[in-house]
Amino acid sequence: MSLKSFWQKNASLFWPFGLAMEKTTKLRATLYARGILPSYQASSPVISVGNITLGGEGKTPLVIWLTNFLQEKGFAPAVITRGYGGKEKGPVLGARDGIPLRTPYEIGDEAYLLGIKTKAPIIIARDRAKGAAFATEKLKANVLVLDDGFQHLKLKRDLDIVLFSAGKDPFCEKVFPAGYLREPLAALCRAHVFLITKADRNAPEALYLSERLASYQKPVFFAPFVTESPYPLENLWQEKNEESFPAREKFVAFCGLANPEPFFQEAQRRAKIVATLSFEDHASYGPKEIKKLLLLREKKEAFGFLTTEKDAVKLKDFVKSLSPCYVLPVKAAPEENFEAFILKYLRNAANL
């Protein structure tokens, strides 16, 4: 049994450490709220996209949508991200004009994907305050999108968006390591707006969450996720191959996500999946992982592989080995009134 599996089955055993973490995060938030710990005020509005759980809410698709939306409306946004899993500490320019300037292993898989899916500058910065200064002073960004920023209180924000994945219930969880919460639920009072992802407002699991969140008296919006037809892995780096997806063939679906089940469920709807394989979140792919995938494909007599865009960015060296391998793109599709909410908030934050 892996350490992660042991923790998932026995998280309640860690309640003393969870209680200590709860008190620590409360104290930290209080020190920032009272100005005892300083927060940097950027010269441009900051929109934070974050969550209160350990992951799986769909921050990356939402950041991609938000950044592209802002560009379409005439803003000059820049994304500030930690570059989780990468070696760069920053602040450095990780991508621009849709072209990554560094590898996924230098800037992290999510930052690399952001660099491919949007033309805005992607700034890698462990210290997001320094990243914000870099983006405004050197790149002249007039809106900053803070990726995974809800707990990064060192940088002040004008709009705090907190994401919740439909189907997950944070209200029955405890603070890590006793549960999946990053900090106590009371921290949600800092948020400006809640966004329930992966479902529309009529879905029962989304309605349940919206009812539980009502007590915080914050606006609640919904952002279903939509998938498009899978495309060949090599299309990430070269001219598009427009071949149709052979949905009737047998596939092995694999990913390295904090919450892999939604991907596997969607893969089942898109193709004939004969086996699934889940790696750890932000998995690094090497010969060992590729061998495991190839053996599974041979055992199941599958035609090829199906994976996520987040995983695909780390498979450039294995395109031929895994061929045919297809990528299932996932997009956030927030409701229109959320778009209007974002624009109204920006107008109130600055004269843009």
Side-chain angles (χ1 to χ4, degrees), residues 5 51 71 79 131-132 162 167 174-175 197 203 210 263 289 306 317 341:
S5 298
N51 57 1
Q71 285 189 306
V79 178
V162 176
K174 291 181 170 53
V175 176
T197 62
S210 65
F263 165 68
E289 289 75 19
L306 189 61
D317 293 337
F341 176 87

Side-chain angles (χ1 to χ4, degrees), residues 21 31 35 57 64 115 170 181-182 210 227 235 241 267 285 309 330 336 346-347 350:
M21 181 64 76
L31 292 176
E57 273 66 32
I64 292 169
L181 295 180
R182 296 182 177 190
S210 65
T227 57
N235 281 12
N241 178 358
Y285 290 94
E309 289 186 311
V330 177
E336 289 186 9
L346 278 177
R347 294 190 185 103

Side-chain angles (χ1 to χ4, degrees), residues 61 98-99 116 156 230 244 250 264 283 290-291 307 319 321 326 338:
I99 302 173
I116 290 177
K156 292 182 180 180
S244 59
K250 297 178 181 179
F264 289 144
I290 301 305
K291 182 179 180 181
T307 192
V319 171
S321 301
Y326 290 81
F338 183 64

Side-chain angles (χ1 to χ4, degrees), residues 116-117 228-246 251 254 303-309 311-313 315-316 318-320 322-329:
I116 290 177
K117 305 294 283 189
E228 299 174 332
S229 180
Y231 60 84
L233 174 61
E234 56 268 25
N235 281 12
L236 270 175
W237 301 280
Q238 63 186 43
E239 188 175 342
K240 300 294 183 181
N241 178 358
E242 299 298 338
E243 68 178 67
S244 59
F245 176 63
F251 284 88
F254 71 93
F303 169 75
F305 297 101
L306 189 61
T307 192
T308 73
E309 289 186 311
D311 293 279
V313 300
L315 297 171
K316 189 174 184 178
F318 305 106
V319 171
K320 290 184 178 179
L322 293 175
S323 183
C325 182
Y326 290 81
V327 183
L328 183 62

